């Protein structure tokens, strides 16, 4: 039976220890800040990016990995006869998964590409499960079945504190952005079925506290929580309060707390953060 090797993109929230322990290959995105191009996890990391973004003259520009980078990764991973399973961020925010799909058709290796329908730690949940099973010798079909189960039991909620970056990125009409910022409007979003959905709008931090209060209530009624992720751009009072509540409510559930990746930070902007978790109800 062929061994399976796992590949993902750099939007996945993975620690260096996890990458090494589970032999995960990461294909990096690039980000350009005021004319200088950086490679994620190579020439810039998450913690270094945010301060640079905050003082940049223009909104940073993120770019998906070129097809050639995926091709190199696939050929290298499969040169010993291993099958390759590549799990990438949702298509709704990046063409990364399509670059991987193109590379798969060109690779000498046997490659399967999957749109995780998530990003950040939500993507990592699937990648880690796949990598653990691969180390245990599971076949590709078994791994795919299990990561589909993880995907179906993952929740990702996101708050946007300011619409400045969204406006600069052309994702919202500038006038609408100016109005909502003037009104101090905060957005609560959910990533579901591979799409971003606005599910909460309100003025000030109180609206976000109510939003995450409902999320915490949902989590309390969720059986067999496996892992919780908090990814943020910059720390805020709402974030600190939410983290403290999580620690009090779920002291035995692993909590991964880290600055988010450049692509997410660029789109979400200052103060934004995500709460991600998954469960295993069976």
């Amino acid at each position: 039976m062929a061994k399976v090797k796992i590949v993902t993109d750099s939007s996945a929230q993975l620690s260096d220890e996890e990458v090494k322990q589970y032999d995960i290959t990461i294909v990096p995105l690039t980000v350009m800040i005021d004319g200088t191009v950086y490679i994620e996890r190579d020439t810039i990391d998450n913690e270094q990016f945010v301060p640079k973004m905050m003082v940049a003259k223009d909104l940073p520009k993120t770019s998906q990995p070129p097809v050639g980078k995926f091709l190199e990764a696939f050929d290298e991973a499969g040169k010993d006869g291993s099958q390759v399973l590549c799990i990438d961020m949702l298509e709704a925010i990046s063409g990364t998964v399509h670059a991987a799909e193109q590379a798969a058709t060109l690779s000498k290796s046997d490659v399967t590409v999957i749109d995780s329908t998530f990003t950040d730690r939500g993507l990592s949940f699937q990648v880690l499960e796949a990598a653990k099973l691969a180390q245990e010798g599971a076949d590709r079909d078994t791994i795919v079945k299990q990561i589909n189960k993880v995907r179906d039991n993952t929740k990702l909620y996101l708050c946007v504190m300011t619409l400045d970056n969204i406006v600069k990125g052309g994702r919202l009409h500038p006038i609408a952005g100016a109005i909502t910022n003037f009104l101090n409007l905060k957005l609560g979003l959910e990533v579901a079925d591979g799409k971003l959905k606005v599910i909460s709008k309100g003025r000030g931090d109180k609206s976000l506290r109510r939003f995450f209060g409902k999320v915490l209530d949902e989590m309390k009624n969720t059986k067999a929580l496996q892992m919780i992720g908090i990814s943020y751009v910059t720390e805020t009072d709402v974030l600190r309060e939410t983290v403290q509540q999580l620690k009090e409510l779920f002291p035995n559930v692993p909590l991964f707390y880290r600055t988010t990746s450049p692509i997410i930070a660029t789109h979400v902007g200052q103060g934004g953060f995500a709460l991600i978790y998954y469960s295993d109800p069976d």
Side-chain angles (χ1 to χ4, degrees):
M1 182 174 63
K3 183 178 179 180
V4 180
K5 293 186 179 178
I6 307 302
V7 178
T8 190
D9 63 73
S10 58
S11 77
Q13 276 283 44
L14 293 163
S15 68
D16 292 340
E17 293 76 17
E18 288 171 334
V19 172
K20 183 177 180 180
Q21 180 179 355
Y22 296 109
D23 191 25
I24 299 165
T25 297
I26 297 181
V27 178
L29 282 79
T30 58
V31 58
M32 184 169 70
I33 307 173
D34 292 340
T36 301
V37 176
Y38 299 90
I39 302 171
E40 291 186 14
R41 300 185 75 106
D42 184 4
T43 59
I44 196 167
D45 61 29
N46 297 3
E47 289 74 18
Q48 293 168 333
F49 171 76
V50 172
K52 290 180 181 292
M53 178 186 76
M54 301 294 288
V55 299
K57 295 178 182 179
D58 299 304
L59 186 70
K61 296 180 180 179
T62 57
S63 299
Q64 67 197 43
V67 173
K69 287 294 184 182
F70 274 114
L71 182 58
E72 290 175 9
F74 294 162
D75 285 349
E76 176 65 24
K79 69 180 182 181
D80 62 355
S82 295
Q83 295 176 325
V84 180
L85 181 58
C86 180
I87 312 167
D88 293 306
M89 78 174 92
L90 67 163
E91 183 270 341
I93 65 170
S94 173
T96 295
V97 68
H98 296 312
E101 289 169 342
Q102 293 178 50
T105 65
L106 302 172
S107 179
K108 302 172 185 177
S109 304
D110 180 4
V111 184
T112 298
V113 177
I114 293 177
D115 182 340
S116 70
T117 73
F118 287 100
T119 187
D120 204 272
R121 196 62 176 174
L123 167 57
S124 296
F125 292 158
Q126 296 177 40
V127 171
L128 288 170
E129 187 70 13
K132 291 174 184 176
L133 289 172
Q135 283 194 347
E136 294 169 3
D139 61 44
R140 186 165 57 188
D141 289 344
T142 299
I143 296 173
V144 170
K145 182 179 179 180
Q146 183 62 23
I147 63 174
N148 286 342
K149 180 181 176 183
V150 172
R151 177 200 63 208
D152 293 343
N153 289 284
T154 294
K155 295 283 189 178
L156 193 161
Y157 296 100
L158 173 70
C159 80
V160 176
M161 302 288 281
T162 169
L163 298 180
D164 289 343
N165 281 29
I166 294 176
V167 173
K168 291 176 183 177
R171 292 175 179 266
L172 189 69
H173 194 283
I175 295 176
I179 293 172
T180 52
N181 280 336
F182 176 74
L183 294 175
N184 196 24
L185 189 68
K186 312 296 185 183
L187 302 181
L189 303 94
E190 180 181 8
V191 174
D193 302 319
K195 298 178 181 178
L196 279 167
K197 302 176 182 180
V198 177
I199 58 176
S200 172
K201 298 179 183 179
R203 294 179 63 179
D205 291 352
K206 286 184 178 179
S207 66
L208 288 177
R209 290 186 174 95
R210 288 194 298 270
F211 172 64
F212 282 105
K214 292 179 181 179
V215 173
L216 292 173
D217 287 340
E218 174 187 276
M219 294 175 70
K220 286 187 285 187
N221 294 316
T222 299
K223 296 181 179 179
L225 283 177
Q226 298 297 303
M227 188 174 290
I228 301 169
I230 288 281
S231 297
Y232 63 92
V233 182
T234 54
E235 293 183 305
T236 62
D237 289 341
V238 176
L239 170 60
R240 296 185 189 96
E241 291 167 12
T242 302
V243 171
Q244 184 59 38
Q245 289 176 296
L246 287 168
K247 290 179 178 179
E248 293 172 358
L249 290 169
F250 312 106
N252 298 318
V253 180
L255 173 62
F256 188 89
Y257 184 76
R258 189 183 181 197
T259 307
T260 193
S261 65
I263 186 172
I264 305 303
T266 297
H267 291 322
V268 175
Q270 184 176 358
F273 72 91
L275 167 56
I276 316 109
Y277 68 91
Y278 84 98
S279 59
D280 186 7
D282 296 335

